[in-house]
Amino acid sequence: IVCLRLFSSLLHFMGEQEKKRKNYSEAITYFCSAVNERIPHLAYCYCMSLGDTYLQLGQLEKAEKYLKKVLASKDDYTQSGAYNYLYLLEKKRTDYVRALAYKEKSDSLLRISREIDLQNRILTLQRKYEADKLMMENRLLAQEKQIQQYVWICMCLLLIGLGIVLYWGIKKQYRKIYKKRLKVRMERELKVYRENELAIR
């Protein structure tokens, strides 16, 4: 199937080359072979090329037949192209009313396609903006969490530091009080010892 599709594409390409050289009969042979493509979108493109070639040759009925087949396409650009060729065809027939109607359809479809493309681009940009916004919010949340962690670590270190300072301060104060009491006790004992010595003498 892939080989058949590639073959159809190659035939279409060769047809376009022959059409550029104005070898329309050769181009028609290639396009007719390519039109049997099973993929609708490609088949419509090949029909359009075939219709345009018949239009160049002035075979308007055949051109109209293939161009009208293209109108079944669901792609707005393809339909717009077909209506544009039909507009040129009706101009050659000098049916200007119908030509104008086809031209209006072609332009309106083209306008709709452009608006849809624009809307799609806007939606894509909005989605990108929302994705960027979410990423930025996630980064900010991560930074906030990091800052909170650093704050908690600093507070813990500060509390540990205060605890150590208080511990050494209390210990120092306790030593001073102990030394004072020891000194007072020693003085009392010395006084008692002296009084006892005097009493013994």
Side-chain angles (χ1 to χ4, degrees), residues 12-42:
H12 180 255
F13 173 76
M14 289 170 75
E16 287 292 340
Q17 294 305 308
E18 292 299 330
K19 193 168 77 171
K20 281 178 187 175
R21 294 188 196 110
K22 296 188 178 181
N23 296 330
Y24 297 120
S25 56
E26 293 283 334
I28 286 166
T29 306
Y30 287 123
F31 290 143
C32 283
S33 300
V35 160
N36 297 320
E37 175 59 53
R38 289 183 182 180
I39 299 173
H41 177 66
L42 292 174

Side-chain angles (χ1 to χ4, degrees), residues 40-80:
H41 177 66
L42 292 174
Y44 292 135
C45 287
Y46 302 159
C47 279
M48 200 184 304
S49 296
L50 187 56
D52 178 39
T53 310
Y54 279 125
L55 188 62
Q56 298 293 330
L57 283 168
Q59 296 179 23
L60 304 183
E61 285 75 20
K62 285 183 179 179
E64 188 176 21
K65 177 190 164 185
Y66 285 103
L67 291 169
K68 282 191 173 176
K69 280 184 180 180
V70 182
L71 297 177
S73 172
K74 290 179 182 177
D75 183 62
D76 290 336
Y77 279 112
T78 309
Q79 275 191 5
S80 175

Side-chain angles (χ1 to χ4, degrees), residues 146-164:
Q146 241 179 355
I147 290 162
Q148 283 176 357
Q149 283 176 349
Y150 289 142
V151 167
W152 280 109
I153 289 164
C154 289
M155 282 177 73
C156 288
L157 289 169
L158 189 67
L159 287 168
I160 291 163
L162 282 168
I164 290 165

